[in-house]
Amino acid sequence: MNIEAGTAHSSHFSVNWSNSANCGSRSANANNAALNLNANNAGRGVTDTQALAELTLRLAVPAWPNGRIQNGGVAGLVVIAKVRQHIIKIMKRYGNLKEKIITKENIELAYSRAKKGKTWQNTVQEVEIRKELALEEVRCMMADQTFSTAEYRCKKVYEPKEREIFILPFFPDRIVQHALMAVIAPIWDRMFDPVSHACRPGKGQHSASRLVMENVRRGGYCLQGDVKKFYPSISHDVAMNIVERKIKDQWVLWIMEDIIRSFPGDRNIPIGNLTSQWIGNLVLNELDTYVRHTLKPEGYVRYNDDFLLFSHSKKALREFQDQIREFLKSSLKLTLSKDRVYPVSQGVDFVGYRHFAKYVLVRKSTARRVKKRISHLRWEINKGLVDAKRARSVVSSTEGWLRWANAYNLRQAMHIDEIKEEIDGLCA
């Protein structure tokens, strides 16, 4: 993309100011300083290139409407540095990761993470008895490429909705996945768009809720949608193609392919795997990039496979509906479960809360579920079936949830303060 005197052309990506030398395709030059920012884009997704071009347009064009750099080119070099950082973040393929993953320290860390909250399980206790030998076995299986994902055990859960969870053995599978993601997850997290809030360090439902409120307060309309049976519908080929665009270490690609294709058939990234939540985010990061840099709505938020687009133009959102459907179908082999456009004044139901311009309420179904949990806790306390530590944990979790909403009446209806007194009685 050539950006010259505020005009964009799509033939190459270069930024030339003040008679600077042309370094060729995908280069940026300022004041005759031939700083080549070459990025090999062979086999990369179109959305990465669009994101890069959009960043350059947004950073460069407003600053130099006449196509010139001021102050000796310093400002232009700042732009180039920012573009370079963005190239590294979204287009770099990472290698030389194997040695970091199979270190004894990383395997030990993976074991401690995998067993967290599960030390009561027999399989965990069996490994603990021969911990040093077991962890060395895991390390050797990974290093020698003799590891293979085991068969899944299926379990149904019914809250908050009916789903099938697929469970792998603790040894070696869950330890292997934790070892892999201890190194890979931070790399992928830096690639993700900031509008994605699920399963990411420092983000979550509440950060998503805050961003929704910022958009709701501006008024206008909302396009709300979600992907139909997201995890069971993820194509193994699509997932591997995206992984290969981000990782070049052949050993990592071997183990990722073993995990991705471990489920029978050509689809399904099983809910229950640690890797699945990260692969799901990696796949839908393609949608994030497309929406943010091609559609460019006034606001956008995603949590797992649920997403919101905001605009003051209802017509624009209607057009976005069709474009998103086509993008999901053609690029990711996914379909929408439901999508609708409505005024934000109706309230935006997202991540367990209903967002209005001046207040936030707990979603009705969430409120019913929390009431049921608290009611059952009181029954357990009265029957002596729960200790103070677990009871406090449940109440603290509930208070933390309610704290983010205008929920005084709901709190009173659940008798939270009375339950806390009952818990104190357990310790007396």
Side-chain angles (χ1 to χ4, degrees):
M1 179 174 292
N2 291 314
I3 302 175
E4 204 166 332
T7 303
H9 307 282
S10 60
S11 57
H12 298 283
F13 173 71
S14 59
V15 184
N16 300 314
W17 297 288
S18 191
N19 300 316
S20 56
N22 189 346
C23 288
S25 176
R26 291 178 179 82
S27 62
N29 311 311
N31 280 1
N32 298 315
L35 176 58
N36 192 335
L37 302 186
N38 253 331
N40 185 355
N41 197 34
R44 306 291 178 84
V46 174
T47 51
D48 283 351
T49 306
Q50 290 170 337
L52 184 57
E54 158 63 19
L55 178 69
T56 308
L57 276 170
R58 183 156 41 86
L59 290 174
V61 173
W64 302 282
N66 297 318
R68 296 181 180 277
I69 285 186
Q70 306 297 324
N71 300 324
V74 175
L77 292 176
V78 171
V79 170
I80 292 170
K82 290 182 178 180
V83 173
R84 186 182 180 89
Q85 289 170 4
H86 195 64
I87 292 172
I88 292 170
K89 183 177 74 171
I90 69 172
M91 301 184 73
K92 181 178 179 181
R93 296 176 71 216
Y94 288 82
N96 302 318
L97 301 174
K98 176 183 176 180
E99 298 308 318
K100 297 177 182 178
I101 293 171
I102 62 172
T103 62
K104 290 184 178 181
E105 293 78 11
N106 190 56
I107 301 296
E108 178 77 33
L109 174 65
Y111 171 68
S112 64
R113 289 179 175 177
K115 74 173 184 176
K116 188 175 181 180
K118 301 180 179 68
T119 52
W120 55 272
Q121 294 180 359
N122 291 334
T123 52
V124 177
Q125 293 174 3
E126 289 170 5
V127 173
E128 184 66 29
I129 292 172
R130 59 184 196 96
K131 173 184 169 184
E132 188 172 337
L133 180 60
L135 296 189
E136 181 59 22
E137 286 180 29
V138 172
R139 197 187 71 81
C140 289
M141 277 189 282
M142 295 177 73
D144 300 339
Q145 296 188 223
T146 55
F147 167 79
S148 181
T149 303
E151 290 187 9
Y152 291 92
R153 176 170 61 87
C154 183
K155 173 185 176 183
K156 276 196 173 183
V157 296
Y158 300 92
E159 292 290 345
K161 60 183 178 181
E162 185 175 330
R163 294 179 298 169
E164 286 185 327
I165 304 295
F166 296 92
I167 303 169
L168 287 171
F170 174 77
F171 176 90
D173 294 79
R174 279 187 270 168
I175 300 174
V176 167
Q177 290 196 13
H178 274 276
L180 179 67
M181 297 317 297
V183 175
I184 302 298
I187 294 173
W188 284 358
D189 188 64
R190 291 194 297 270
M191 296 177 181
F192 294 159
D193 197 289
V195 298
S196 168
H197 292 264
C199 308
R200 297 182 62 187
K203 290 182 177 288
Q205 290 171 303
H206 301 314
S207 64
S209 178
R210 288 195 299 270
L211 188 54
V212 172
M213 278 301 293
E214 289 179 16
N215 286 279
V216 168
R217 287 179 179 132
R218 287 197 288 263
Y221 298 89
C222 173
L223 164 58
Q224 183 164 15
D226 68 86
V227 179
K228 183 177 182 180
K229 295 182 178 179
F230 175 52
Y231 287 100
S233 299
I234 296 177
S235 162
H236 296 166
D237 289 340
V238 169
M240 271 309 301
N241 179 264
I242 296 172
V243 170
E244 287 169 356
R245 298 209 317 261
K246 310 299 182 185
I247 302 292
K248 64 182 178 182
D249 188 308
Q250 292 301 309
W251 180 86
V252 173
L253 292 177
W254 156 73
I255 198 167
M256 287 299 303
E257 185 159 24
D258 182 89
I259 294 169
I260 287 173
R261 300 192 189 279
S262 62
F263 198 87
D266 60 356
R267 289 179 182 267
N268 202 339
I269 303 296
I271 300 174
N273 280 354
L274 171 66
T275 52
S276 294
Q277 56 188 320
W278 286 97
I279 293 169
N281 260 340
L282 190 68
V283 169
L284 285 187
N285 189 60
E286 301 291 300
L287 174 65
D288 299 339
T289 305
Y290 174 72
V291 170
R292 293 256 283 166
H293 301 286
T294 301
L295 302 185
K296 302 178 185 177
E298 295 173 27
Y300 175 62
V301 188
R302 181 175 65 82
Y303 190 90
N304 280 330
D305 59 312
D306 298 302
F307 60 86
L308 303 169
L309 282 76
F310 296 91
S311 175
H312 282 80
S313 170
K314 193 173 185 178
K315 180 182 177 182
L317 291 178
R318 293 289 187 196
E319 293 174 354
F320 293 162
Q321 273 183 298
D322 296 334
Q323 292 171 298
I324 288 173
R325 285 194 199 104
E326 178 57 30
F327 176 83
L328 289 173
K329 179 181 178 181
S330 62
S331 298
L332 302 179
K333 298 182 181 180
L334 298 170
T335 56
L336 287 179
S337 172
K338 55 188 176 182
D339 57 335
R340 66 189 185 103
V341 176
Y342 58 93
V344 297
S345 58
Q346 291 182 3
V348 176
D349 191 331
F350 198 68
V351 294
Y353 297 102
R354 291 182 292 156
H355 303 83
F356 298 87
K358 295 184 178 180
Y359 55 91
V360 179
L361 300 177
V362 176
R363 179 187 293 162
K364 290 181 180 179
S365 60
T366 304
R368 286 194 296 269
R369 189 166 64 250
V370 171
K371 281 183 178 180
K372 181 179 178 181
R373 181 174 62 178
I374 290 297
S375 176
H376 185 67
L377 178 65
R378 296 195 78 174
W379 179 83
E380 288 181 316
I381 291 173
N382 292 332
K383 293 291 184 178
L385 301 176
V386 64
D387 59 23
K389 183 178 179 180
R390 181 180 177 277
R392 281 202 181 96
S393 175
V394 173
V395 171
S396 295
S397 174
T398 302
E399 286 188 304
W401 185 262
L402 297 178
R403 190 177 299 121
W404 293 88
N406 300 83
Y408 175 80
N409 290 336
L410 178 59
R411 179 187 173 92
Q412 295 301 111
M414 289 192 294
H415 307 288
I416 295 291
D417 293 330
E418 294 177 20
I419 293 175
K420 290 171 78 172
E421 290 179 4
E422 292 175 15
I423 293 172
D424 290 339
L426 291 176
C427 302

